[in-house]
Amino acid sequence: MTVTHVTDQSTTERPGLIDARPVRHPWRWVAVAVILVMIAMIISSFLTNDRWDFSLAGQIMIQQPVIDGLLKGTILGTVGSMVIGVVLGIVIAVMRISSNPVLRGVSFVYTWFFRAIPRYVLLVIIGSGIGYLYNTLDIGVPFGQQIASLLGLSSDLTIGSLNVNGITGSIVGGIIGLGLSEAAYMAEIARSGILSVDPGQREAAQALGMSNGKLMRRIVLPQAMRVIVPPTGNETIAMVKDTSLLIAIPVIAELNYQTGAIANRIFKIMPGLVASTAWYLIICSILMVGQFYLERYFGRGFGQQRPKTRRFARPAGAGGA
Amino acid sequence: MTETTPSTSARPRAGSEQPLVRALNVMKSFHGNEVLKGIDLEVHRGEVVCLLGPSGSGKTTFLRCINQLESIDGGRIWVDGDLVGYRAEGEHLHHLTDKQVAAQRRNIGMVFQRFNLFPHKTAIENVMEAPVQVKGVDKKAARQHAEELLAQVGLADKAAAYPGALSGGQQQRVAIARALAMDPKLMLFDEPTSALDPELVGEVLRVMRDLASAGMTMIVVTHEMGFAREVADHVVFMDAGVVCEQGAPKDVIGNPQQDRTRSFLRRMRSEHDEARADAAGT
């Protein structure tokens, strides 16, 4: 028997620490070798194929119009549309689980509509269509014009009006469009998060006399965030890339358009694409770091307890009594 | 409302005094399944009432009706003279608003079978949450009160621990402190020890015993016969949605008159013995 093999001396001594040989994995080493060769080939092509022209790509990255597009289009667009998306998404999710059928229905139709329509199409509609349909946005009493003509008033009950084209044709229109679309996805994410919270939590809060709003804000949503944050990080990263659709508005102060414009002007297409790719990689890397800290914050109280001192106080292999 | 101070030494039932909880013909069904078929019950100030009975008898549902985690279909419940959940106006009853319901619950503490501590808050934050958020108590005062309550349940050293790092018995004791933080007139316990490992039951029962001897009015749904016998002033045996038998513990548990009570108690006793044999065997 294999057990007696190691201890066949069958002394009275009790077996001590185990120092066993690891299992060999020869095919893993083959795979590693193949992959290393492929990586070497790719790096070598970067160095030898001067059409990549990384130094030119680097220069394109730091041109003023590119930086402006990055800040005012890509980053501002991402932040703005994600803020709209998250806030509106949570509102729609809460409506969706309401007991009022009208609220439930509206929330369902919203999600249905904005999930079905492609973002590019939505941005074209906002950029070109809305301004054509509604020249000005009047702020006043609902149906003010109809009420005024019915009552024979001279005023049409309008307090002020906005130039719609000025809004929808700008980055604001783009942020609204991307935000409305994002809210539909965020609503589903928030709903799954809210449903993931144990119903006992709501009952405990109710039993303490908390109002519905407070128990949502203080008890349910903070716990739902644990489930909501990881897919929201995904959505944010997707949104960084979708800001390149702002051209459909059209908004040209945006990273991908600006690198492309420079590259076209000097007939160097590839370095322009490398420049925008590099920027997208940098932004997404930063976002991933942020997501890590958010997840850790909202995961407090769950899973392994990790007080800071314990990492140092407990060397590997020790512990257990 | 008549102001009465529960006497802490003994807990006599003053006959003239208005009961703290009065339930009359309480009925409740879930999807046509009648769970409560007309429950009558009176609980006086400072009294400890234990609800006993087989699972599915409606004891937990009845407890949840008292603080409106379930709405009742028929009958009436009064807590401290106030009709629970409704406002009488002339001939008709009107539902209370969410705000009014929340206000009624503030005077009633509840302890759940599964503790239901807020996992994203530390023990002391759990205890402070309702006083600060619901009553608007100053944070410093709330923290001090919370520290006292945690000390009272023997967990002064666990204030900064998250519930996930506490044992079941410790979690349940924090849950009791959390309910006490609102200075309730009445405490409801829904099988507070049923989710605990056997060796952790004692510490929770000890806290409940202390609470009872301090004069707290308590309604306890439990399977702990020993606790019911020693601590309860009044024991109610429920079966299939009705009160089968009630009275002093020495009568209901010691000398049951009804067959259903007798067979239930016999079953409990044999399970108890088995559990004890198991524990001894391992």
Side-chain angles (χ1 to χ4, degrees), chain B residues 14-37:
Chain B
S16 59
E17 176 201 345
Q18 178 194 39
L20 183 61
V21 180
R22 179 153 173 252
L24 210 55
N25 198 26
V26 171
M27 291 181 275
K28 170 75 184 173
S29 39
F30 292 106
H31 311 291
N33 176 24
E34 256 191 308
V35 181
L36 301 177
K37 301 173 185 164

Side-chain angles (χ1 to χ4, degrees), chain A residues 164-198:
Chain A
V164 169
N165 259 323
I167 300 168
T168 58
S170 71
I171 179 77
V172 178
I175 288 175
I176 292 173
L178 290 174
L180 290 177
S181 169
E182 184 57 42
Y185 293 92
M186 281 308 305
E188 289 298 286
I189 292 172
R191 187 168 70 103
S192 67
I194 291 169
L195 292 181
S196 76
V197 178
D198 176 6

Side-chain angles (χ1 to χ4, degrees), chain B residues 30 36 45 60 66 73 80 90 109 161 176 193 203 206 211 215 221 226 230 234:
Chain B
F30 292 106
L36 301 177
R45 276 164 226 282
T60 290
I66 296 174
D73 303 332
D80 206 9
I176 293 173
T193 56
E203 60 190 67
R206 204 169 309 128
L211 209 53
V221 172
E230 287 163 38
H234 196 77

Side-chain angles (χ1 to χ4, degrees), chain A residues 197-215 217-224 226 297-303 305-306 310, chain B residues 64 67-70 98-99 102-103 105-106 108-110 112 114-121 125-126 129-130 132-134 161-165 178-179 182:
Chain A
V197 178
D198 176 6
Q201 292 291 309
R202 179 184 284 269
E203 285 184 352
Q206 282 176 332
L208 289 166
M210 276 198 196
S211 65
N212 284 332
K214 206 152 243 176
L215 81 84
R217 273 199 317 279
R218 302 275 316 170
I219 305 301
V220 176
L221 280 180
Q223 293 182 59
R226 198 171 59 93
Y297 174 76
F298 284 111
R300 69 194 189 283
F302 286 92
Q305 295 286 305
R306 229 183 320 169
R310 186 139 152 218
Chain B
R64 290 163 60 85
N67 74 345
Q68 304 178 63
L69 290 178
E70 308 289 354
D98 288 350
K99 233 183 189 157
R105 286 178 178 139
R106 256 161 242 174
I108 305 171
M110 177 133 185
F112 297 86
R114 305 266 352 152
F115 330 135
N116 296 356
L117 288 180
F118 305 133
H120 59 304
K121 294 181 182 295
E125 286 169 352
N126 266 277
E129 179 70 12
V132 172
Q133 294 297 326
V134 178
Y162 282 101
R178 177 176 71 174
M182 291 293 279

